[in-house]
Amino acid sequence: MGTTQLESVQEPKYWHLKTVLNDALDSEFEVGEILPNERDLAARFGVARATLRQALEQLELEGRLQRRRGVGTTVAPPRMGVRVGPVANTWPGSTLDSWKTVGCVEAVAPHAIAALLGTGSDAAVHTVRRERVMRGQHVATELLYVPPASVPELSTMLTPANHAPAVLRELHTLELEGEDRSVELGSASAEDAKQLDRLPGAPVLVVTTRYFSAGRVAAASVATYRADTCRLTFGDSGALEVTHHEEESRQAS
Amino acid sequence: MGTTQLESVQEPKYWHLKTVLNDALDSEFEVGEILPNERDLAARFGVARATLRQALEQLELEGRLQRRRGVGTTVAPPRMGVRVGPVANTWPGSTLDSWKTVGCVEAVAPHAIAALLGTGSDAAVHTVRRERVMRGQHVATELLYVPPASVPELSTMLTPANHAPAVLRELHTLELEGEDRSVELGSASAEDAKQLDRLPGAPVLVVTTRYFSAGRVAAASVATYRADTCRLTFGDSGALEVTHHEEESRQAS
DNA sequence: TAGTGGTCTAGACCACATC
DNA sequence: ATGTGGTCTAGACCACTAC
C-alpha cells in the first residue's frame, strides 16, 4: 500500500488506522507481545503521534491493547468474564465470592447514596471497602453502604480490624428478599484508579446494587470494574463465561 | 483564582479543568443549556483547545455533556434507566418491549456469533435488526440471530416485509428456558453510530444475550446501547428506575 | 540514564448545521 | 456565509519504569 485511493476517503485517518492495527493484532501479534513505541509506529504509518494515539486509545477502550507508562504497549488478552448477576440472591461477603474485604469506616454517605438507601442525607453509614481480584488482577473496587438501622445488634466494641467482619456478619442474619442492579459507564476517580492500577479517568463500569430486606433497602453498593479488562456476566443459566474465547470483533468494521 | 499554588500540583490540567467544569455544570447551568464554544472556553481557562477538549470528552463520557458538530455543547439530562434484565423470561419481540423491528435478512453469521450459537461457522442464520427508542431517542440497536434449526416451521414464502415478523412468531412458539447476558464496553461501528445518531467510535455498552430452549441456544442477540445516555438496569424487584434523579457524582473530584 | 507513554501547545483545515 | 465541533500536525516537556 502507499499511493492508492487518492479520491474521497471521507474516513478519519485514526479510524482507518484503528482497523489496520486491529487486523494486524489478529494476524501478526500474540497476546502479551509488545508493540513498537508510539513514535516509531506514527512514523511508520506516516501520521502525527497524536493521530496514532487516537487509534491506540480506541483499541485500548475496546480491550485490545494495554498501555503502561514507562513500559510500552502490549496486546491484551481477551476480556475476563466476571459474574455480577444474581447467583441465587446472596449477601455480599458470603463465603467464596472472590471479594476481599479491605476495611470499614463509619461516615456520612454522599447524597446519591443516601438517596439510594432512602436515609437522610446527613446520616452516618457503615462503609465497607472491598476489592475483587481475578487471575491475580484487581478488576474491581467496591464501597458497600450499610445504614446502622440494618445492623441494630452490631457490637459497640469496634476496632478497625473487626469493624468490617462484624458489619457483614450482622448483615447475613437478615433475610435477603431481592436485589436491584444498574450498570453504567464512568471514569475512575483518582482513588479508584490507584486500586485498579490504572490512571485517573480510565473507563470503568459502575455497578450499583440495592439489597432489599423487610421491604426496605438494607444495603447498597457501588462497584467499579475495569472496563478494559472485564466483561460483566449476568443470567440464570450461565455458561457464557467459558465460551467467547476466540475473539470478539463485533465492532471495527 | 489565578495565581495560587505554584508548587507541586502534580495534577493534569485537563483533570482539574474537568472537576471545575463539573461543579460549574451543577451550580450554574440548566439541563439543555448550551455552553460557550470550545475556543472561547479554552481562552477563558487559559489552556489550549486540545486540553479543554480532553476535559469535555471525559465529561461527555460520563454523560454530563452532549456535543454535536455544527451545533454546540449542551448540558445532558441524567441518564435514562433502561431495563435490560429478565422481566420474567420472555422472547424478544413480545408485545410492548419498546423495541421496533426494522428488518430481517438471512446471512452467514460472524464467527463470534456462530460460537455463541454453537452452529457451524458458515451456516446462514436469520438476522433480525431492531431498534430501541425511549423518550423519542434512539438508545440501542440490536441484531438478533436465529438459526434456521430454531424455527423449522418457518414459511418458505418470505418477503422483506414479512420475514422478521414470521421469524419472531415462530420463535415465540418455543419454550424459553433461560437467558444469559453479558455487558461490556465497546465503540460504535460506523453503521451502529448512524442509527444511534452518534459519531463512529462513540462509547457503547454491548449487551450479548443467549436464549435457551430445549437445552440448546435457540437464539442470540447483540444489543448496542449508547453509553452516554443510558444506565442499564437489571434485577427482580426493580424500582431503581424512578430514583437516581438528582445527580450521580460517584466519580469526579 | 535512556526509553516509554502521558500531557500540552498553537496553530491549521475539514465536515456539518444553521441561517 | 458563519459558527460549531472534529481531525490533524509538529513540535515540546513531564512522569514513570527499567536498566
Side-chain angles (χ1 to χ4, degrees):
Chain A
M1 49 149 59
T3 53
T4 4
Q5 51 168 18
L6 294 186
E7 8 95 8
S8 79
V9 267
Q10 215 64 347
E11 189 185 45
K13 277 190 187 176
Y14 80 91
W15 184 264
H16 182 243
L17 243 186
K18 189 188 115 177
T19 72
V20 170
L21 286 171
N22 199 33
D23 295 347
L25 292 184
D26 285 336
S27 57
E28 301 172 29
F29 288 90
E30 302 292 329
V31 167
E33 196 173 343
I34 184 167
L35 268 65
N37 71 57
E38 297 184 349
R39 290 160 180 90
D40 286 353
L41 274 180
R44 180 176 314 186
F45 287 106
V47 299
R49 190 179 157 218
T51 305
L52 186 267
R53 277 179 61 81
Q54 215 173 334
L56 294 185
E57 265 152 34
Q58 284 236 3
L59 289 172
E60 189 178 31
L61 195 81
E62 293 171 16
R64 301 281 288 143
L65 293 178
Q66 183 159 0
R67 300 193 288 172
R68 273 172 303 174
R69 169 157 51 182
V71 180
T73 302
T74 58
V75 181
R79 283 191 176 129
M80 283 181 278
V82 297
R83 161 130 281 160
V84 172
V87 200
N89 296 349
T90 53
W91 288 107
S94 303
T95 62
L96 269 172
D97 59 356
S98 77
W99 287 93
K100 189 183 121 211
T101 302
V102 173
C104 182
V105 298
E106 192 163 6
V108 297
H111 305 91
I113 302 302
L116 272 183
L117 292 171
T119 64
S121 259
D122 299 340
V125 299
H126 302 286
T127 305
V128 182
R129 180 172 277 283
R130 300 195 302 161
E131 297 175 348
R132 187 165 185 175
V133 179
M134 290 192 70
R135 297 197 217 153
Q137 198 181 169
H138 278 78
V139 295
T141 86
E142 181 202 53
L143 288 178
L144 172 69
Y145 301 93
V146 183
S150 297
V151 286
E153 309 281 345
L154 189 65
S155 158
T156 54
M157 302 293 287
L158 293 175
T159 68
N162 72 10
H163 193 163
V167 169
L168 290 179
R169 198 180 326 113
E170 285 302 311
L171 203 56
H172 294 171
T173 65
L174 302 179
E175 186 191 359
L176 180 59
E177 289 169 351
E179 337 176 359
D180 233 9
R181 233 176 288 273
S182 81
V183 178
E184 64 187 314
L185 180 59
S187 48
S189 68
E191 188 181 6
D192 288 343
K194 188 178 297 183
Q195 298 205 34
L196 296 176
D197 190 31
R198 298 258 58 195
L199 289 180
V204 292
L205 295 172
V206 181
V207 180
T208 306
T209 308
R210 297 194 298 181
Y211 298 93
F212 295 97
S213 183
R216 294 184 309 100
V217 179
S221 82
V222 177
T224 300
Y225 287 81
R226 284 183 61 154
D228 56 342
T229 57
C230 294
R231 192 182 73 246
L232 310 185
T233 67
F234 301 83
D236 23 44
S237 47
L240 192 65
E241 323 234 355
V242 291
T243 52
H244 243 315
H245 260 263
E246 293 192 275
E247 31 77 270
E248 55 281 275
S249 46
R250 269 174 296 290
Q251 50 264 27
S253 103
Chain B
M1 48 147 59
T3 53
T4 4
Q5 52 170 14
L6 294 186
E7 8 95 7
S8 77
V9 267
Q10 215 64 346
E11 188 184 45
K13 277 190 186 176
Y14 80 90
W15 184 263
H16 182 243
L17 243 186
K18 188 187 117 176
T19 71
V20 170
L21 286 170
N22 198 33
D23 294 348
L25 291 183
D26 285 335
S27 56
E28 300 172 30
F29 288 90
E30 301 293 328
V31 167
E33 197 174 342
I34 183 167
L35 269 63
N37 71 58
E38 298 183 348
R39 290 160 180 88
D40 286 353
L41 274 180
R44 181 177 311 185
F45 286 106
V47 300
R49 191 180 156 216
T51 305
L52 186 267
R53 277 180 61 81
Q54 216 172 334
L56 294 184
E57 265 153 34
Q58 283 237 2
L59 289 171
E60 189 179 30
L61 196 82
E62 294 172 15
R64 299 282 289 144
L65 293 178
Q66 184 160 358
R67 300 194 289 172
R68 274 173 302 175
R69 168 157 52 180
V71 179
T73 302
T74 57
V75 181
R79 284 193 175 127
M80 282 181 280
V82 297
R83 162 129 282 162
V84 171
V87 201
N89 295 351
T90 53
W91 288 105
S94 304
T95 63
L96 269 172
D97 59 357
S98 78
W99 287 93
K100 188 183 122 212
T101 302
V102 174
C104 182
V105 297
E106 192 164 6
V108 297
H111 305 92
I113 302 302
L116 272 182
L117 291 171
T119 64
S121 259
D122 299 339
V125 299
H126 301 286
T127 306
V128 182
R129 179 171 278 285
R130 301 196 300 162
E131 297 175 347
R132 188 164 186 175
V133 179
M134 290 192 71
R135 297 198 217 152
Q137 198 182 171
H138 279 78
V139 295
T141 88
E142 180 203 53
L143 287 178
L144 173 68
Y145 301 93
V146 183
S150 296
V151 286
E153 309 280 345
L154 189 63
S155 160
T156 54
M157 302 293 286
L158 293 176
T159 68
N162 72 9
H163 193 162
V167 169
L168 289 179
R169 198 179 330 114
E170 285 302 311
L171 203 56
H172 294 172
T173 65
L174 302 179
E175 186 192 0
L176 179 60
E177 289 168 351
E179 335 176 0
D180 233 10
R181 233 175 291 271
S182 81
V183 178
E184 63 187 315
L185 180 59
S187 49
S189 68
E191 189 180 7
D192 288 343
K194 188 180 297 183
Q195 297 205 35
L196 296 176
D197 190 32
R198 300 258 58 197
L199 289 179
V204 292
L205 296 172
V206 180
V207 180
T208 305
T209 309
R210 297 194 299 180
Y211 297 94
F212 295 96
S213 183
R216 295 184 309 99
V217 179
S221 82
V222 177
T224 301
Y225 287 81
R226 283 183 60 154
D228 56 341
T229 57
C230 295
R231 193 183 72 246
L232 310 184
T233 68
F234 300 83
D236 23 43
S237 46
L240 193 64
E241 324 235 355
V242 291
T243 50
H244 244 315
H245 259 263
E246 291 192 276
E247 30 77 272
E248 55 280 273
S249 45
R250 271 172 296 289
Q251 50 265 28
S253 112

